[in-house]
Amino acid sequence: MRQLPRLLFFTLLVRPVLFLILGFNVRHRERLPVRGPAIIVANHNSHLDAPVLMSLLPLRLLPRIRPVAAADYFLSNRWLAWFALHIIGIIPLRMGGRQPKETLLAEIAAALQNDSIIILFPEGTRGEPEKFGKFRAGIGVLAEWFPQVPIHPIYLYGLGKALPRGEILLVPFFCDVFVGTALRGEGGDRRSFMARLDGTMRRLAEENKTATWE
Amino acid sequence: MNLALGSGVYMVLAGVWLFLILATIGVERLAARGRSVEELQQRISSWWTIVVVCSIALLLSRTVALVFFALVSFLALKEYLSLIPTRRADRRVLFWAYLSIPIQYYWIGIEWYGMFIIFVPVYMFLLLPVAMILVGETQGYLRAAGTLHWGLMSMVFSLSHLAFLLVLPHVGGQAIGERAVSGQGLVLFLIVLTQLNDVAQYCWGKLLGRRRIAPKVSPNKTVEGFVGGVLSTVLIAYGLGPWLTPFTPLDTLLAGLLIGIAGFFGDLGISALKRDLGIKDSGTLLPGHGGILDRVDSLTYTAPLFFHFTRYYYF
């Protein structure tokens, strides 16, 4: 029952609006996760990133999807917090401070044990539109803790044009989605995993033939 | 019931459906024999989408048809603007460009020909650069203004002629001769011929194609494909004309010739655009075809030219 408002919000509003106003060109759709537990990692340019990734998966998976989002931003006021937690279903991440990674990532770990599909933006911020920032190490820690869980790298292009940071006017652009083959943490250390992930993301970005910002 | 809708429209639509059913059966039988026809199957299933949606839009009501054509313009413009380089500074300008679509189709809805024919080429042409100037970014100004206007002219102005055909007999006022003329008939004539022309050029090219016309733009386009395609289109036009148009037999042949030649160059225009941008398909909206631009490319040329041919001689 707790999922109902969320299901309605995505079925009646988010999906129709995204599919009509934006529209997607998905390359390698067959590589998307079909069950949990799984982790989706993507580059981050826009508030639309998470809703788009959530709309690409079938509706039956929606109850399992949990995007990870910065607590200081999304829990900053009561209304936004309610919306973020109950409608979008975020896992708030309390970044900063000197806390052990076990505390920082505890809720994500628990969700993965619960067969959730985690959406993570390891750049940590939306940053400059359509510029690719460096991935932070948290995803490497998760890969180490859950060596069997598939980690799906996805490169998004176009959403930073449609709704970049600091803008409220949504301008229609097709969104290109490049889905990479899933990686797993097993058989290697954190550093080598991060290198593999980074390489995959760059190769996906190179698949994008669309002309970029002038 | 829609009085303007001649029975010819139903007959031709039924013919299109029958043709597609036969094509589907044919391809499925090839597939059953283990032939690799996956791309053909995708194409046909996309054709089903196009034909079903077009049929509904044409038969239901004029408003539905106008909304449908506006949507096609929107999808085409969106695809175009997503493919070309744009400047961050122009985000708002692009938003205004999108707004021109409902306005342009509104002029058609109220049957205001004078405004319909100058709104994009005059007003949008002058106003969008004003919006750019007010933003104040001069780096790349000419390219941004030029590419945006090219997109608006092709995807909004040109394609909207398809929709104006729908209201043209009403605007023109009188029925020609003893036959009532329906806008749906003209639209159907144009769409069916333009699409069959593409298919015919492709088939003749595959069958006999040897001498390339524009090897740098599209290596698949040959003299043989072009001539075979145009002749086929003229022939089909001659067969369809009496069912859908008020044209004399000679005019029907001329209309077929016009659509055949114009469609060819519309197709090549989008090919040149894609070559320039270094991409193969404009999108993935219609599996087997590519994006919507790959399907409406010929129409951006045939729609305005066929429209003015019809308007000049008959309305």
Side-chain angles (χ1 to χ4, degrees), chain A residues 3 43 46 55 58 65 88 99 102 108 121-122 130 137 173 193:
Chain A
Q3 289 284 341
N43 56 324
S46 165
S55 301
I65 308 177
I88 306 296
Q99 42 183 342
E102 284 77 10
I108 303 178
F121 301 108
E130 309 298 1
F173 279 103
F193 173 81

Side-chain angles (χ1 to χ4, degrees), chain A residues 105-164:
Chain A
L105 301 174
E107 207 176 334
I108 303 178
L112 280 173
Q113 271 149 7
N114 240 334
D115 288 349
S116 289
I117 298 176
I118 302 292
I119 296 177
L120 199 64
F121 301 108
E123 284 167 290
T125 164
R126 285 170 291 163
E128 280 292 297
E130 309 298 1
K131 290 277 188 320
F132 198 27
K134 194 174 167 10
F135 274 6
R136 301 199 192 180
I139 180 64
V141 175
L142 288 172
E144 204 171 65
W145 288 353
F146 299 92
Q148 305 293 332
V149 170
I151 296 170
H152 300 259
I154 297 184
Y155 179 74
L156 297 168
Y157 178 78
L159 295 172
K161 296 201 277 182
L163 190 71

Side-chain angles (χ1 to χ4, degrees), chain B residues 166-177:
Chain B
L166 212 56
V167 303
L168 185 62
H170 198 237
V171 178
Q174 72 284 22
I176 315 284

